[in-house]
């Protein structure tokens, strides 16, 4: 499901717009599509882009670091 939502978001806002706004490569976008996760650092700008086009941008699609420390 997350891969489909990632693809939906990228299609809605435009891959080239994501590249420009986030200053990322085509490879980075392909990587997000393949893994079904966006980099956490993409959250704020991508959320803003989604709001502009009326697309939901769930926090669960981002690769957040865990607050749990290894013992």
């Amino acid at each position: 499901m997350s891969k489909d939502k990632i693809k939906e978001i990228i299609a809605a806002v435009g891959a080239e717009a994501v590249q420009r706004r986030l200053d990322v490569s085509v490879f980075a976008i392909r990587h997000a599509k393949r893994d079904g996760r966006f980099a956490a650092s993409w959250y704020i700008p991508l959320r803003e882009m989604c709001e502009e086009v009326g697309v939901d941008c769930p926090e669960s699609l981002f690769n957040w670091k865990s607050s749990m420390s290894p013992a």
Side-chain angles (χ1 to χ4, degrees), residues 27-51:
F27 175 77
I29 294 171
R30 272 193 303 233
H31 182 72
K33 287 180 182 179
R34 184 183 67 237
D35 289 352
R37 294 263 182 216
F38 290 121
S41 62
W42 295 15
Y43 179 68
I44 292 174
L46 200 52
R47 184 195 67 208
E48 291 170 352
M49 294 174 78
C50 285
E51 287 173 359

Side-chain angles (χ1 to χ4, degrees), residues 7 27-28 65:
K7 291 175 184 176
F27 175 77
K65 288 185 179 180

Side-chain angles (χ1 to χ4, degrees), residues 5-21:
K5 186 65 178 172
I6 296 283
K7 291 175 184 176
E8 176 189 329
I9 288 171
I10 291 171
V13 300
E16 289 182 12
V18 173
Q19 284 179 258
R20 283 191 307 273
R21 177 89 178 258

